[in-house]
Amino acid sequence: QSFYNRNTPIATHIYLQSLTISSNHKELTREDYGLILESFVSTSWLIQGNWILKTKFSPFTNDSAIARDFCLILLNDIGKIERVKLNTVLKQFGLNGVKPEVLEFMLKQFGILTKERSWILRVSEDVEFLANNKEIVEKCKKELGERRKVLSGLIESYKNL
């Protein structure tokens, strides 16, 4: 698992556990960890057990914002994004404001391109976090589910290709 950094804007629970209180350099208490998790819940999507900044806090707007959320939901639900299918669905739904270079920049932030020309999440699914934080996971699933409903047409079209 990688830690959070500028080149990989994904935070894992291993990263969260590695944090220290800078003024005292002491280990996080359970309460501190809970407060940090609350902050992540309000600002990030939980994608395969890893925290990725919500689009509303990113520089992406309009068609690009819709495409970013669509991609994150696909990664969470399916585990990969096939580039050809993605482009087809974006065109079908008139999301012409997503330029190829913007889409690639976006995908590189949280994904890597495989030999098969599919994008997968840059870090592996955090099974441990998902298993040990059921209440938080359920809260995040519910919130992501709301966004999934809004994008259901795109998601169904992608799955049917």
Coordinates of all heavy atoms in Angstrom, one line a residue, residues 43-122:
T43 N -15.0 14.8 3.3 CA -14.2 15.4 2.2 C -13.8 14.4 1.1 O -13.4 14.8 0.0 CB -13.0 16.1 2.6 OG1 -12.1 15.1 3.3 CG2 -13.3 17.2 3.6
S44 N -14.0 13.1 1.3 CA -13.5 12.1 0.4 C -14.5 11.0 0.2 O -15.3 10.7 1.0 CB -12.2 11.4 1.0 OG -11.2 12.4 1.3
W45 N -14.3 10.3 -1.0 CA -15.1 9.1 -1.3 C -14.3 7.9 -0.8 O -13.0 8.0 -0.9 CB -15.3 9.0 -2.8 CG -16.1 10.0 -3.5 CD1 -15.7 10.8 -4.5 CD2 -17.5 10.2 -3.3 NE1 -16.8 11.6 -4.9 CE2 -17.9 11.3 -4.2 CE3 -18.5 9.7 -2.5 CZ2 -19.2 11.8 -4.3 CZ3 -19.8 10.2 -2.5 CH2 -20.1 11.2 -3.4
L46 N -14.9 6.9 -0.3 CA -14.3 5.7 0.0 C -14.4 4.8 -1.2 O -15.4 4.2 -1.5 CB -14.9 5.1 1.3 CG -14.2 3.8 1.9 CD1 -12.8 4.2 2.3 CD2 -15.0 3.3 3.0
I47 N -13.2 4.6 -1.9 CA -13.2 3.8 -3.1 C -12.3 2.6 -2.8 O -11.1 2.7 -2.6 CB -12.6 4.6 -4.3 CG1 -13.4 5.9 -4.5 CG2 -12.6 3.8 -5.5 CD1 -14.9 5.7 -4.9
Q48 N -12.9 1.4 -2.8 CA -12.2 0.2 -2.5 C -11.4 0.3 -1.2 O -10.3 -0.3 -1.1 CB -11.3 -0.2 -3.7 CG -12.0 -0.6 -4.9 CD -11.0 -1.2 -6.0 OE1 -9.9 -1.4 -5.7 NE2 -11.6 -1.4 -7.1
G49 N -12.0 1.0 -0.2 CA -11.4 1.1 1.1 C -10.3 2.1 1.2 O -9.6 2.2 2.2
N50 N -10.1 2.9 0.2 CA -9.1 4.0 0.2 C -9.9 5.3 0.0 O -10.9 5.4 -0.7 CB -8.2 3.8 -1.0 CG -7.4 2.5 -0.8 OD1 -6.6 2.3 0.0 ND2 -7.8 1.5 -1.6
W51 N -9.3 6.4 0.5 CA -9.9 7.7 0.5 C -9.4 8.5 -0.7 O -8.2 8.7 -0.8 CB -9.6 8.4 1.8 CG -10.1 7.7 3.0 CD1 -9.4 7.0 3.9 CD2 -11.4 7.7 3.5 NE1 -10.2 6.5 4.9 CE2 -11.5 6.9 4.6 CE3 -12.6 8.2 3.0 CZ2 -12.6 6.6 5.3 CZ3 -13.8 8.0 3.7 CH2 -13.8 7.2 4.9
I52 N -10.3 9.0 -1.5 CA -10.0 9.8 -2.6 C -10.9 11.1 -2.5 O -12.1 11.0 -2.4 CB -10.3 9.1 -4.0 CG1 -9.4 7.8 -4.0 CG2 -10.0 10.0 -5.2 CD1 -9.6 7.0 -5.3
L53 N -10.3 12.2 -2.7 CA -11.0 13.5 -2.5 C -12.2 13.6 -3.4 O -12.2 13.2 -4.6 CB -10.0 14.6 -3.0 CG -10.5 16.1 -2.7 CD1 -10.5 16.3 -1.2 CD2 -9.5 17.0 -3.4
K54 N -13.3 14.0 -2.7 CA -14.6 14.2 -3.5 C -14.4 15.2 -4.6 O -13.6 16.2 -4.5 CB -15.7 14.6 -2.6 CG -16.2 13.5 -1.6 CD -17.3 14.1 -0.7 CE -17.7 13.0 0.3 NZ -18.7 13.5 1.2
T55 N -15.1 15.0 -5.7 CA -14.9 15.8 -6.8 C -15.3 17.3 -6.5 O -14.7 18.2 -7.1 CB -15.8 15.3 -8.0 OG1 -15.3 14.0 -8.3 CG2 -15.7 16.1 -9.2
K56 N -16.2 17.5 -5.6 CA -16.6 18.9 -5.3 C -15.5 19.7 -4.7 O -15.6 20.9 -4.7 CB -17.9 18.9 -4.5 CG -17.7 18.4 -3.1 CD -19.1 18.5 -2.3 CE -19.0 17.9 -0.9 NZ -20.3 17.9 -0.3
F57 N -14.5 19.0 -4.2 CA -13.3 19.7 -3.6 C -12.1 19.7 -4.6 O -11.0 20.1 -4.3 CB -12.9 19.0 -2.3 CG -14.0 19.1 -1.3 CD1 -14.6 17.9 -0.8 CD2 -14.3 20.3 -0.7 CE1 -15.6 18.0 0.1 CE2 -15.3 20.4 0.2 CZ -16.0 19.2 0.7
S58 N -12.4 19.2 -5.8 CA -11.3 19.1 -6.8 C -11.5 20.3 -7.8 O -12.5 21.0 -7.8 CB -11.4 17.8 -7.6 OG -12.4 17.8 -8.5
P59 N -10.5 20.5 -8.7 CA -10.6 21.5 -9.7 C -11.5 21.2 -10.8 O -11.7 22.0 -11.7 CB -9.2 21.7 -10.1 CG -8.5 20.4 -9.9 CD -9.2 19.8 -8.7
F60 N -12.1 20.0 -10.9 CA -12.9 19.6 -12.0 C -14.4 20.1 -11.9 O -14.9 20.1 -10.8 CB -12.9 18.1 -12.1 CG -11.6 17.5 -12.3 CD1 -10.9 16.9 -11.3 CD2 -10.9 17.6 -13.6 CE1 -9.6 16.4 -11.5 CE2 -9.7 17.1 -13.8 CZ -9.0 16.5 -12.8
T61 N -14.9 20.6 -13.0 CA -16.3 21.1 -13.0 C -17.0 20.6 -14.2 O -16.4 20.1 -15.1 CB -16.2 22.7 -13.0 OG1 -15.5 23.1 -14.2 CG2 -15.6 23.3 -11.8
N62 N -18.3 20.8 -14.2 CA -19.2 20.5 -15.3 C -19.0 19.1 -15.8 O -19.0 18.2 -15.0 CB -19.0 21.5 -16.4 CG -19.2 23.0 -15.9 OD1 -20.1 23.2 -15.1 ND2 -18.4 23.9 -16.4
D63 N -18.8 18.9 -17.1 CA -18.6 17.6 -17.7 C -17.5 16.8 -17.0 O -17.6 15.6 -16.8 CB -18.4 17.6 -19.2 CG -19.7 18.1 -19.9 OD1 -20.7 18.2 -19.3 OD2 -19.6 18.3 -21.2
S64 N -16.4 17.5 -16.7 CA -15.2 16.8 -16.1 C -15.5 16.3 -14.8 O -15.1 15.2 -14.4 CB -14.0 17.7 -16.1 OG -13.6 18.1 -17.4
A65 N -16.3 17.0 -14.0 CA -16.7 16.6 -12.7 C -17.6 15.3 -12.7 O -17.4 14.4 -12.0 CB -17.4 17.7 -11.9
I66 N -18.5 15.3 -13.7 CA -19.4 14.2 -13.9 C -18.6 13.0 -14.3 O -18.7 11.9 -13.7 CB -20.5 14.5 -14.9 CG1 -21.4 15.5 -14.4 CG2 -21.2 13.2 -15.3 CD1 -22.3 16.1 -15.5
A67 N -17.6 13.2 -15.2 CA -16.8 12.1 -15.6 C -15.9 11.5 -14.5 O -15.7 10.3 -14.4 CB -15.9 12.5 -16.8
R68 N -15.4 12.4 -13.7 CA -14.6 11.9 -12.5 C -15.4 11.1 -11.6 O -14.9 10.0 -11.2 CB -14.0 13.1 -11.8 CG -13.0 12.7 -10.7 CD -12.4 14.0 -10.1 NE -11.3 13.6 -9.1 CZ -11.5 13.4 -7.8 NH1 -12.7 13.4 -7.3 NH2 -10.5 13.1 -7.1
D69 N -16.5 11.5 -11.2 CA -17.4 10.7 -10.3 C -17.8 9.4 -10.9 O -17.7 8.3 -10.3 CB -18.6 11.5 -9.9 CG -18.3 12.5 -8.8 OD1 -17.2 12.5 -8.2 OD2 -19.2 13.3 -8.5
F70 N -18.1 9.4 -12.2 CA -18.4 8.2 -13.0 C -17.2 7.3 -12.9 O -17.4 6.1 -12.6 CB -18.8 8.6 -14.4 CG -19.0 7.5 -15.3 CD1 -19.9 6.5 -15.0 CD2 -18.4 7.5 -16.6 CE1 -20.1 5.4 -15.9 CE2 -18.7 6.5 -17.5 CZ -19.5 5.5 -17.2
C71 N -16.0 7.7 -13.1 CA -14.8 6.9 -13.1 C -14.6 6.3 -11.7 O -14.3 5.1 -11.6 CB -13.6 7.7 -13.6 SG -13.6 8.0 -15.3
L72 N -14.8 7.1 -10.7 CA -14.5 6.6 -9.3 C -15.6 5.5 -9.0 O -15.2 4.5 -8.3 CB -14.6 7.7 -8.3 CG -13.4 8.7 -8.4 CD1 -13.6 9.9 -7.5 CD2 -12.1 7.9 -8.0
I73 N -16.8 5.7 -9.4 CA -17.8 4.7 -9.1 C -17.5 3.4 -9.9 O -17.6 2.3 -9.3 CB -19.2 5.2 -9.4 CG1 -19.6 6.3 -8.4 CG2 -20.3 4.1 -9.5 CD1 -20.8 7.1 -8.7
L74 N -17.1 3.5 -11.1 CA -16.7 2.3 -11.9 C -15.6 1.6 -11.2 O -15.6 0.4 -11.1 CB -16.3 2.7 -13.3 CG -17.4 3.2 -14.2 CD1 -16.9 3.6 -15.6 CD2 -18.5 2.1 -14.4
L75 N -14.5 2.3 -10.7 CA -13.4 1.7 -10.1 C -13.9 1.0 -8.8 O -13.4 -0.1 -8.5 CB -12.3 2.7 -9.7 CG -11.5 3.1 -10.9 CD1 -10.6 4.3 -10.5 CD2 -10.7 2.0 -11.5
N76 N -14.8 1.6 -8.1 CA -15.3 1.0 -6.8 C -16.1 -0.2 -7.1 O -15.9 -1.2 -6.4 CB -16.1 2.1 -6.0 CG -16.4 1.6 -4.7 OD1 -15.5 1.4 -3.8 ND2 -17.7 1.3 -4.4
D77 N -17.0 -0.1 -8.1 CA -18.0 -1.2 -8.3 C -17.4 -2.3 -9.2 O -17.7 -3.5 -8.9 CB -19.2 -0.7 -9.0 CG -20.0 0.3 -8.1 OD1 -19.6 0.5 -6.9 OD2 -21.0 0.9 -8.6
I78 N -16.6 -2.0 -10.2 CA -16.2 -3.0 -11.2 C -14.7 -3.3 -11.0 O -14.2 -4.4 -11.3 CB -16.4 -2.5 -12.6 CG1 -18.0 -2.3 -12.8 CG2 -15.9 -3.5 -13.6 CD1 -18.3 -1.6 -14.1
G79 N -13.9 -2.3 -10.5 CA -12.5 -2.5 -10.3 C -11.6 -2.1 -11.5 O -10.4 -2.0 -11.3
K80 N -12.2 -1.8 -12.6 CA -11.4 -1.3 -13.7 C -12.3 -0.5 -14.7 O -13.5 -0.5 -14.6 CB -10.8 -2.4 -14.5 CG -11.8 -3.3 -15.3 CD -11.1 -4.4 -16.1 CE -12.1 -5.2 -16.9 NZ -11.5 -6.2 -17.7
I81 N -11.6 0.3 -15.5 CA -12.3 1.2 -16.5 C -11.7 0.9 -17.8 O -10.5 1.1 -18.0 CB -12.1 2.7 -16.2 CG1 -12.7 3.0 -14.8 CG2 -12.8 3.5 -17.3 CD1 -12.3 4.4 -14.3
E82 N -12.5 0.4 -18.7 CA -12.0 0.1 -20.1 C -12.1 1.4 -20.9 O -13.2 2.0 -21.0 CB -12.8 -1.0 -20.8 CG -12.7 -2.3 -20.1 CD -13.5 -3.4 -20.7 OE1 -13.6 -3.4 -22.0 OE2 -14.1 -4.2 -19.9
R83 N -11.0 1.9 -21.4 CA -10.9 3.2 -22.0 C -11.9 3.4 -23.1 O -12.6 4.4 -23.2 CB -9.5 3.4 -22.5 CG -9.2 4.8 -23.0 CD -9.3 5.8 -21.9 NE -9.1 7.2 -22.4 CZ -8.0 7.9 -22.4 NH1 -7.0 7.4 -21.8 NH2 -8.0 9.1 -22.8
V84 N -12.0 2.4 -24.0 CA -12.9 2.5 -25.2 C -14.3 2.6 -24.7 O -15.1 3.5 -25.2 CB -12.7 1.3 -26.1 CG1 -13.7 1.3 -27.2 CG2 -11.3 1.3 -26.7
K85 N -14.7 1.8 -23.8 CA -16.1 1.9 -23.3 C -16.4 3.2 -22.6 O -17.5 3.8 -22.8 CB -16.4 0.7 -22.3 CG -16.5 -0.6 -22.9 CD -16.6 -1.8 -21.9 CE -17.8 -1.8 -21.1 NZ -17.9 -3.1 -20.3
L86 N -15.4 3.7 -21.8 CA -15.6 5.0 -21.2 C -15.8 6.1 -22.2 O -16.7 6.9 -22.1 CB -14.3 5.3 -20.3 CG -14.3 6.7 -19.7 CD1 -15.4 6.8 -18.6 CD2 -12.9 6.9 -19.0
N87 N -15.0 6.2 -23.2 CA -15.1 7.2 -24.2 C -16.5 7.1 -25.0 O -17.1 8.1 -25.2 CB -14.0 7.1 -25.2 CG -12.7 7.6 -24.7 OD1 -12.6 8.4 -23.7 ND2 -11.6 7.0 -25.2
T88 N -16.9 5.9 -25.2 CA -18.2 5.6 -25.9 C -19.3 6.2 -25.1 O -20.2 6.9 -25.6 CB -18.4 4.1 -26.2 OG1 -17.3 3.7 -27.0 CG2 -19.7 3.9 -26.8
V89 N -19.3 5.9 -23.8 CA -20.4 6.3 -22.9 C -20.4 7.9 -22.7 O -21.4 8.5 -22.8 CB -20.4 5.6 -21.5 CG1 -21.3 6.2 -20.5 CG2 -20.6 4.1 -21.7
L90 N -19.2 8.4 -22.6 CA -19.1 9.9 -22.4 C -19.7 10.6 -23.7 O -20.4 11.6 -23.5 CB -17.7 10.3 -22.2 CG -17.1 9.9 -20.8 CD1 -15.6 10.3 -20.7 CD2 -17.9 10.4 -19.7
K91 N -19.4 10.0 -24.8 CA -19.9 10.6 -26.1 C -21.5 10.4 -26.2 O -22.2 11.3 -26.6 CB -19.2 10.0 -27.3 CG -17.8 10.5 -27.5 CD -17.2 9.9 -28.7 CE -15.7 10.3 -28.7 NZ -14.9 9.6 -29.7
Q92 N -21.9 9.2 -25.8 CA -23.4 8.9 -25.9 C -24.2 9.9 -25.0 O -25.3 10.3 -25.4 CB -23.6 7.5 -25.3 CG -23.4 6.4 -26.3 CD -23.6 5.0 -25.6 OE1 -23.8 4.9 -24.4 NE2 -23.6 4.0 -26.4
F93 N -23.6 10.3 -23.9 CA -24.3 11.2 -23.0 C -24.0 12.6 -23.2 O -24.3 13.5 -22.4 CB -24.1 10.7 -21.5 CG -24.9 9.6 -21.1 CD1 -24.5 8.3 -21.5 CD2 -26.1 9.7 -20.5 CE1 -25.3 7.2 -21.2 CE2 -26.9 8.6 -20.1 CZ -26.5 7.4 -20.5
G94 N -23.3 12.9 -24.3 CA -23.0 14.3 -24.6 C -22.0 15.0 -23.7 O -22.1 16.3 -23.6
L95 N -21.2 14.3 -23.0 CA -20.2 14.9 -22.2 C -19.0 15.3 -23.0 O -17.8 14.8 -22.8 CB -19.8 13.9 -21.0 CG -21.0 13.6 -20.1 CD1 -20.6 12.6 -19.0 CD2 -21.5 14.9 -19.4
N96 N -19.2 16.2 -23.9 CA -18.1 16.6 -24.9 C -17.1 17.5 -24.3 O -16.1 17.8 -24.9 CB -18.8 17.2 -26.1 CG -19.8 16.2 -26.8 OD1 -19.5 15.0 -26.8 ND2 -20.9 16.7 -27.2
G97 N -17.4 18.1 -23.1 CA -16.5 19.0 -22.5 C -15.3 18.3 -21.8 O -14.5 19.0 -21.3
V98 N -15.3 17.0 -21.9 CA -14.2 16.3 -21.3 C -13.1 16.0 -22.4 O -13.3 15.1 -23.1 CB -14.6 14.9 -20.6 CG1 -13.5 14.3 -19.9 CG2 -15.8 15.2 -19.7
K99 N -12.1 16.8 -22.4 CA -11.1 16.7 -23.4 C -10.2 15.4 -23.1 O -10.0 15.1 -21.9 CB -10.2 17.9 -23.5 CG -11.0 19.1 -23.9 CD -10.1 20.3 -24.0 CE -10.9 21.5 -24.4 NZ -10.2 22.8 -24.3
P100 N -9.7 14.7 -24.1 CA -8.9 13.5 -23.8 C -7.8 13.8 -22.8 O -7.5 12.9 -22.0 CB -8.4 13.1 -25.2 CG -9.4 13.7 -26.1 CD -9.9 15.0 -25.5
E101 N -7.1 14.9 -23.0 CA -6.0 15.2 -22.1 C -6.4 15.4 -20.6 O -5.7 15.1 -19.7 CB -5.1 16.3 -22.6 CG -5.8 17.7 -22.7 CD -6.5 17.9 -24.1 OE1 -6.7 16.9 -24.9 OE2 -6.9 19.0 -24.3
V102 N -7.6 16.0 -20.5 CA -8.1 16.2 -19.1 C -8.5 14.9 -18.5 O -8.2 14.6 -17.3 CB -9.3 17.2 -19.1 CG1 -10.0 17.2 -17.8 CG2 -8.9 18.6 -19.6
L103 N -9.2 14.0 -19.3 CA -9.6 12.7 -18.8 C -8.3 11.9 -18.4 O -8.3 11.3 -17.4 CB -10.3 12.0 -19.9 CG -11.0 10.6 -19.6 CD1 -12.0 10.8 -18.4 CD2 -11.7 10.0 -20.8
E104 N -7.3 11.9 -19.2 CA -6.1 11.2 -18.9 C -5.4 11.7 -17.6 O -5.0 11.0 -16.8 CB -5.1 11.2 -20.0 CG -3.9 10.3 -19.8 CD -3.1 10.0 -21.0 OE1 -3.6 10.0 -22.1 OE2 -1.9 9.7 -20.8
F105 N -5.4 13.1 -17.5 CA -4.8 13.7 -16.3 C -5.6 13.2 -15.1 O -5.0 12.9 -14.0 CB -4.8 15.2 -16.4 CG -4.5 15.9 -15.2 CD1 -3.2 16.0 -14.8 CD2 -5.5 16.5 -14.4 CE1 -2.8 16.7 -13.6 CE2 -5.2 17.2 -13.2 CZ -3.8 17.3 -12.8
M106 N -6.9 13.2 -15.2 CA -7.8 12.9 -14.1 C -7.6 11.4 -13.7 O -7.4 11.1 -12.5 CB -9.2 13.0 -14.6 CG -10.3 12.6 -13.6 SD -11.9 12.6 -14.4 CE -12.0 14.1 -15.3
L107 N -7.5 10.5 -14.7 CA -7.4 9.1 -14.4 C -6.0 8.8 -13.8 O -5.9 7.9 -12.9 CB -7.6 8.3 -15.7 CG -9.0 8.2 -16.1 CD1 -9.1 7.7 -17.5 CD2 -9.9 7.4 -15.2
K108 N -5.0 9.5 -14.2 CA -3.6 9.3 -13.7 C -3.5 9.7 -12.2 O -2.7 9.2 -11.5 CB -2.6 10.1 -14.5 CG -2.2 9.5 -15.8 CD -1.2 10.3 -16.5 CE -0.7 9.6 -17.8 NZ 0.3 10.4 -18.5
Q109 N -4.4 10.6 -11.7 CA -4.4 11.0 -10.3 C -4.7 9.8 -9.4 O -4.1 9.7 -8.3 CB -5.4 12.1 -10.1 CG -5.0 13.4 -10.6 CD -5.9 14.5 -10.2 OE1 -7.1 14.3 -10.1 NE2 -5.3 15.6 -9.9
F110 N -5.6 8.9 -9.8 CA -5.9 7.8 -8.9 C -5.8 6.4 -9.5 O -6.0 5.4 -8.9 CB -7.4 8.0 -8.3 CG -8.4 8.4 -9.4 CD1 -8.9 7.4 -10.2 CD2 -8.9 9.7 -9.5 CE1 -9.9 7.7 -11.2 CE2 -9.8 10.0 -10.4 CZ -10.3 9.0 -11.2
G111 N -5.4 6.4 -10.8 CA -5.3 5.1 -11.5 C -4.1 4.9 -12.2 O -3.2 5.8 -12.4
I112 N -3.9 3.7 -12.7 CA -2.8 3.3 -13.6 C -3.4 2.6 -14.8 O -4.3 1.8 -14.6 CB -1.7 2.5 -12.9 CG1 -2.3 1.2 -12.2 CG2 -0.9 3.3 -11.9 CD1 -1.2 0.3 -11.7
L113 N -2.7 2.8 -15.9 CA -3.2 2.1 -17.1 C -2.5 0.8 -17.3 O -1.3 0.7 -17.2 CB -2.8 3.0 -18.3 CG -3.4 2.6 -19.7 CD1 -4.9 2.6 -19.7 CD2 -2.9 3.6 -20.8
T114 N -3.3 -0.3 -17.5 CA -2.7 -1.6 -17.7 C -2.4 -1.9 -19.1 O -2.7 -1.1 -20.0 CB -3.8 -2.7 -17.2 OG1 -4.9 -2.6 -18.1 CG2 -4.2 -2.4 -15.8
K115 N -1.7 -3.0 -19.4 CA -1.4 -3.4 -20.7 C -2.6 -3.6 -21.6 O -2.6 -3.4 -22.8 CB -0.6 -4.7 -20.7 CG 0.8 -4.6 -20.1 CD 1.4 -6.0 -20.0 CE 2.7 -5.9 -19.1 NZ 3.2 -7.3 -19.0
E116 N -3.7 -3.9 -20.9 CA -5.0 -4.2 -21.7 C -5.7 -2.9 -22.0 O -6.9 -2.9 -22.4 CB -5.9 -5.1 -20.8 CG -5.3 -6.5 -20.7 CD -4.3 -6.6 -19.5 OE1 -4.3 -5.8 -18.6 OE2 -3.4 -7.5 -19.6
R117 N -5.1 -1.7 -21.7 CA -5.7 -0.4 -21.9 C -6.9 -0.2 -21.0 O -7.9 0.5 -21.4 CB -6.1 -0.2 -23.4 CG -5.0 -0.4 -24.4 CD -3.9 0.6 -24.4 NE -4.4 2.0 -24.7 CZ -3.8 3.1 -24.4 NH1 -2.7 3.0 -23.7 NH2 -4.3 4.2 -24.7
S118 N -6.9 -0.7 -19.8 CA -7.9 -0.5 -18.8 C -7.2 0.3 -17.6 O -6.0 0.1 -17.4 CB -8.5 -1.8 -18.3 OG -9.2 -2.4 -19.3
W119 N -8.0 1.1 -17.0 CA -7.5 1.8 -15.8 C -7.9 1.1 -14.5 O -9.1 0.6 -14.5 CB -8.0 3.2 -15.8 CG -7.5 4.1 -16.8 CD1 -8.0 4.3 -18.1 CD2 -6.3 4.9 -16.7 NE1 -7.2 5.1 -18.8 CE2 -6.1 5.6 -18.0 CE3 -5.4 5.1 -15.7 CZ2 -5.1 6.4 -18.2 CZ3 -4.3 6.0 -16.0 CH2 -4.2 6.6 -17.2
I120 N -7.0 0.9 -13.6 CA -7.3 0.3 -12.3 C -6.8 1.3 -11.2 O -6.0 2.2 -11.5 CB -6.6 -1.1 -12.1 CG1 -5.1 -1.0 -12.2 CG2 -7.2 -2.1 -13.1 CD1 -4.4 -2.2 -11.8
L121 N -7.4 1.1 -10.0 CA -7.0 2.0 -8.9 C -5.5 1.8 -8.6 O -5.0 0.7 -8.7 CB -7.8 1.7 -7.7 CG -7.8 2.7 -6.5 CD1 -8.3 4.0 -7.0 CD2 -8.6 2.2 -5.4
R122 N -4.8 2.9 -8.3 CA -3.4 3.0 -8.1 C -2.9 2.1 -6.9 O -1.8 1.6 -6.9 CB -3.0 4.4 -7.9 CG -1.5 4.6 -7.7 CD -1.2 6.1 -7.7 NE -1.4 6.8 -9.0 CZ -0.5 6.7 -10.0 NH1 0.6 6.1 -9.9 NH2 -0.8 7.3 -11.1

